[in-house]
Structures are given as structure tokens and as C-alpha cells.
């Protein structure tokens, strides 16, 4: 039996053995903590990655790593290459991002000398993930749309969450925006986008994730070109489409 001591020897006659000298008394460091894919969407499978390194703190092999999500229990991680057998190990674990908004994940590691390192933490945000399908006819996604200024243009789309389930919550919709662009080269300034309201027509839910918003364009748009998009909760934007008004 050889107990591990960080310094000195034990020659206690009551035990009758001499212990081995262990020179690694320093815990491994954890760096590069992060999550993927990014951004992180609600209820999506997420991977936490990090590097556990003892090469400069004793050079013992890493034997384990753990992660802690939002101050809950410590859970085991795996070595990215499949085995803990080096002083420097890339480590990973997967979890389901079930908490909307601010989150914190922490990682710590233990070396072969039994040194447990301090946790290194990473803050990230979980948002509602969207899969946007559309726009549908009468809007053409791949061509210049010609429209008469002053008319209402039905913007139709289908919205799913990150797992493919239809989104029926009207709070997902923030607004329809458009901004002026040059009709010659279709360039403009997106920060100048203005929100467009539909009057009494409003936002309509058509079922199975399908939505319609009637874009009531003003007559003052005549002779101009604009790019239009829909903004959703969490800052997610639809693709932009181009209109030329007559």
C-alpha cells in the first residue's frame, strides 16, 4: 500500500510503512469553456467543450472532468478523443438547453495525483429557436416583387421551433419592417428600417405554424424600392425580400 502525499514521508511505527513522495500538488487548469452550436436555442441538444490541462501544473494525466449547469449537480464529461490518458485533454458533454435566457456552465477537472481543480465558468444565453419557411406567394423570394403603392401585401410564412414543432404563439411576432434601397443596385441601410402596422387587419394565425400579416403600404412608396423582413422574438429575422413600387 502506497498512500499519496504531496511532500515528505510517513514512517509511523503504528502503521509500519514508508509512503512515496508525490511532487504534483497542483490542480489542473480548465480553459476554453464554450458551447455549441451557437446561438443556443431552447430545448435543443447543446455541447459544452473545454480543455483540461495539467502540463504546466505537475504534468499528471487528466483522469476526469465534470460540468455543472446553473449550479446544479456536477456531471461527468468525456474525453473528446475517447480516453483520459494525457496531461492535456479536450473534454465534452451534452445537455438539453431547457432554461430560457441567461445560463452558466462550469467545468472542473481532476488529475492522476488526485488534485481537483477550480471551476472555470462560461455564461451564455438561450433563446427561442426558429425555423422560418417562406415567404409564400404572392411574395416571390427569388425575384424583384412589383407592387402598387398603397395596396396591402399579404406576407405569409410558416414558423417552427428548433425541434420542428409549429409555433402558434403570437408573441413570436415582433413586427414587419422595411427600409429604402436604391432601385439601381438594391442597396440601403437596414438600421433605418421602420416598423409597418397593418391597421385593422392585424396578425393572423392560420394553423400548423402558418401566419399572415397584411403589409399596408403607403402611397408615398410609389416610384421607390424597399427591402422587407419580419422580426421575431429573440432578435431572429426572416430573409429579406425586395419590392419595387409603382
Amino acid at each position: 500500500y502506497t498512500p499519496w502525499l504531496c511532500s515528505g514521508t510517513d514512517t509511523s511505527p503504528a502503521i509500519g510503512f514508508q509512503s512515496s513522495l508525490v511532487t504534483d500538488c497542483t490542480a489542473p487548469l480548465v480553459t476554453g469553456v464554450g458551447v455549441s452550436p451557437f446561438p443556443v436555442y431552447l430545448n435543443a441538444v447543446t455541447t459544452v467543450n473545454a480543455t483540461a490541462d495539467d502540463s504546466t501544473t505537475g504534468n499528471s494525466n487528466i483522469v476526469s472532468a465534470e460540468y455543472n449547469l446553473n449550479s446544479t449537480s456536477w456531471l461527468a464529461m468525456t474525453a473528446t478523443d475517447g480516453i483520459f490518458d494525457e496531461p492535456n485533454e479536450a473534454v465534452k458533454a451534452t445537455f438539453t438547453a431547457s432554461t430560457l435566457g441567461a445560463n452558466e456552465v462550469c467545468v472542473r477537472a481532476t488529475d492522476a495525483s488526485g488534485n481537483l481543480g477550480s471551476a472555470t465558468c462560461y455564461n451564455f444565453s438561450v433563446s427561442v429557436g426558429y425555423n422560418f419557411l417562406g415567404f409564400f406567394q404572392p411574395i416571390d423570394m427569388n425575384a424583384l416583387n412589383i407592387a402598387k403603392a398603397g395596396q396591402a401585401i399579404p406576407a405569409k410564412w410558416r414558423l417552427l421551433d428548433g425541434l420542428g414543432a409549429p409555433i402558434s404563439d403570437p408573441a413570436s411576432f415582433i413586427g414587419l419592417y422595411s427600409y429604402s434601397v436604391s432601385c439601381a443596385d438594391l442597396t440601403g441601410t437596414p438600421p433605418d428600417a421602420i416598423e409597418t402596422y397593418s391597421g385593422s387587419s392585424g396578425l393572423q394565425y392560420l394553423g400548423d405554424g402558418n401566419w399572415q400579416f397584411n403589409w399596408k403600404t403607403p402611397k408615398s412608396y410609389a416610384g421607390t424600392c424597399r427591402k422587407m423582413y419580419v422580426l421575431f422574438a429573440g432578435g431572429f429575422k426572416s430573409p429579406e425580400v425586395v419590392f419595387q413600387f409603382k
Side-chain angles (χ1 to χ4, degrees), residues 48-136:
V48 53
N49 301 281
T51 299
D53 185 17
D54 200 60
S55 62
T56 61
T57 55
N59 206 39
S60 298
N61 286 349
I62 302 297
V63 295
S64 67
E66 303 169 294
Y67 78 97
N68 174 306
L69 181 63
N70 297 325
S71 300
T72 55
S73 301
W74 288 98
L75 300 172
M77 303 179 73
T78 60
T80 301
D81 64 4
I83 185 172
F84 287 104
D85 61 353
E86 299 177 70
N88 184 288
E89 292 280 1
V91 296
K92 65 179 181 178
T94 59
F95 61 89
T96 299
S98 58
T99 301
L100 190 64
N103 285 253
E104 180 184 64
V105 63
C106 299
V107 176
R108 65 185 185 183
T110 301
D111 66 21
S113 295
N115 300 305
L116 173 63
S118 299
T120 299
C121 300
Y122 175 78
N123 295 311
F124 63 98
S125 180
V126 174
S127 60
V128 178
Y130 295 120
N131 181 15
F132 178 89
L133 304 174
F135 293 98
F136 302 127

Side-chain angles (χ1 to χ4, degrees), residues 91-92 145 183 226 229:
V91 296
K92 65 179 181 178
N145 292 270
C183 289
R226 302 186 71 84
Y229 63 88

Side-chain angles (χ1 to χ4, degrees), residues 17-225:
F17 64 82
Q18 180 171 321
S19 65
S20 298
L21 177 67
V22 177
T23 58
D24 183 4
C25 302
T26 308
L29 304 174
V30 171
T31 59
V33 180
V35 294
S36 63
F38 192 84
V40 180
Y41 293 132
L42 185 66
N43 296 325
V45 175
T46 305
T47 300
V48 53
N49 301 281
T51 299
D53 185 17
D54 200 60
S55 62
T56 61
T57 55
N59 206 39
S60 298
N61 286 349
I62 302 297
V63 295
S64 67
E66 303 169 294
Y67 78 97
N68 174 306
L69 181 63
N70 297 325
S71 300
T72 55
S73 301
W74 288 98
L75 300 172
M77 303 179 73
T78 60
T80 301
D81 64 4
I83 185 172
F84 287 104
D85 61 353
E86 299 177 70
N88 184 288
E89 292 280 1
V91 296
K92 65 179 181 178
T94 59
F95 61 89
T96 299
S98 58
T99 301
L100 190 64
N103 285 253
E104 180 184 64
V105 63
C106 299
V107 176
R108 65 185 185 183
T110 301
D111 66 21
S113 295
N115 300 305
L116 173 63
S118 299
T120 299
C121 300
Y122 175 78
N123 295 311
F124 63 98
S125 180
V126 174
S127 60
V128 178
Y130 295 120
N131 181 15
F132 178 89
L133 304 174
F135 293 98
F136 302 127
Q137 292 295 324
I139 294 177
D140 192 331
M141 292 292 295
N142 301 308
L144 178 66
N145 292 270
I146 307 298
K148 182 179 180 180
Q151 74 174 9
I153 301 172
K156 301 177 182 180
W157 66 88
R158 187 171 187 234
L159 197 64
L160 309 176
D161 68 15
L163 301 178
I167 289 180
S168 59
D169 185 358
S172 64
F173 176 81
I174 300 300
L176 183 147
Y177 291 77
S178 71
Y179 62 95
S180 177
V181 296
S182 165
C183 289
D185 59 13
L186 303 179
T187 60
T189 308
D192 292 338
I194 58 173
E195 186 171 8
T196 302
Y197 298 93
S198 63
S200 61
S201 55
L203 179 68
Q204 303 171 52
Y205 183 59
L206 308 178
D208 197 30
N210 290 286
W211 295 88
Q212 179 172 324
F213 184 87
N214 293 326
W215 179 23
K216 182 64 173 66
T217 62
K219 292 182 179 180
S220 60
Y221 283 179
T224 69
C225 294

